[in-house]
Amino acid sequence: AVELRDKDPFRFGGKGVLRAVEAVSNTILPAIRGRDPADQAGLDSALKALDGTLNKSKLGANAMLAVSLAACKAGAAQERLPLYKRIADLADVKKPLLPVPWLNVINGGEHAGNSLPIQEFMIGPVGARSFREAMQIGAEVYHSLKSVIAVKHGAAATAVGDEGGFAPNIRGHEEALDLIMAAVEKAGHSESVQLGMDVAASEFCVEGGAGYRFYGSDSK
């Protein structure tokens, strides 16, 4: 999905969102004014139809998501429900549970200044018995990873990327995964942690969709 940014180099380095605000005020609001916020599915379908693109590039995913969330909150207020219960009802979840926290521990792609094309390497403490234990496991693996990276690549390699994960200057995603696995084992949580990735492949897709560009070369 595409975030609508202003691309004005004189405001917020081109990352301003006045165009998204205008999309909400001038296009979305007139189209949804008066709708029942309890009809979340209908409102979301109307937003997608109004945008009319596969990647939300006309109105902007940031504008559409903001309106959808605002409507969800309004629907919760109308039903006199806490927001989490309203979302659970929409998802037909009878017994809401806190989700497993996934922690972004190594950054690449647009979120770091290294050579890793993949954007996020994550750990999920799926074997934890509670959210509190999951956060403890995640924190212990994160700090274990810092020491693993420092031993192999030096203390300077433990600088972090845009989202708080480490950003060592390595090229291969295999090495990134190996570093994380070593940290998981060192922390004593091999039976409790799974790995995940947010590839963000659109960031290294060859123009025209003909393939992907890894490490400066094109590959199918």
Side-chain angles (χ1 to χ4, degrees), residues 103-122 145 159-170 176 180:
L103 292 83
N104 182 2
V105 293
I106 289 185
N107 291 175
E110 294 296 304
H111 289 175
N114 56 20
S115 300
L116 283 172
I118 291 176
Q119 188 162 278
E120 297 175 4
F121 296 80
M122 299 176 286
L145 179 59
V160 298
D162 291 351
E163 295 191 342
F166 299 111
N169 193 22
I170 56 179
I180 296 172

Side-chain angles (χ1 to χ4, degrees), residues 144-213:
S144 173
L145 179 59
K146 182 176 182 178
S147 65
V148 168
I149 293 172
V151 168
K152 186 167 184 180
H153 295 286
T158 60
V160 298
D162 291 351
E163 295 191 342
F166 299 111
N169 193 22
I170 56 179
R171 288 175 62 84
H173 48 269
E174 296 92 345
E175 183 179 358
L177 295 171
D178 287 343
L179 288 169
I180 296 172
M181 289 304 300
V184 170
E185 184 175 349
K186 184 173 184 287
H189 295 304
S190 297
E191 300 300 318
S192 301
V193 172
Q194 292 183 0
L195 273 56
M197 292 186 290
D198 178 357
V199 177
S202 59
E203 300 293 346
F204 51 87
C205 180
V206 176
E207 188 174 351
Y212 298 94
R213 181 175 292 107

Side-chain angles (χ1 to χ4, degrees), residues 35 39-52 64 68:
R35 293 188 70 102
D39 182 17
Q40 185 74 41
L43 182 132
D44 288 342
S45 294
L47 287 174
K48 288 189 287 186
L50 189 62
D51 175 78
M64 295 169 67
S68 178

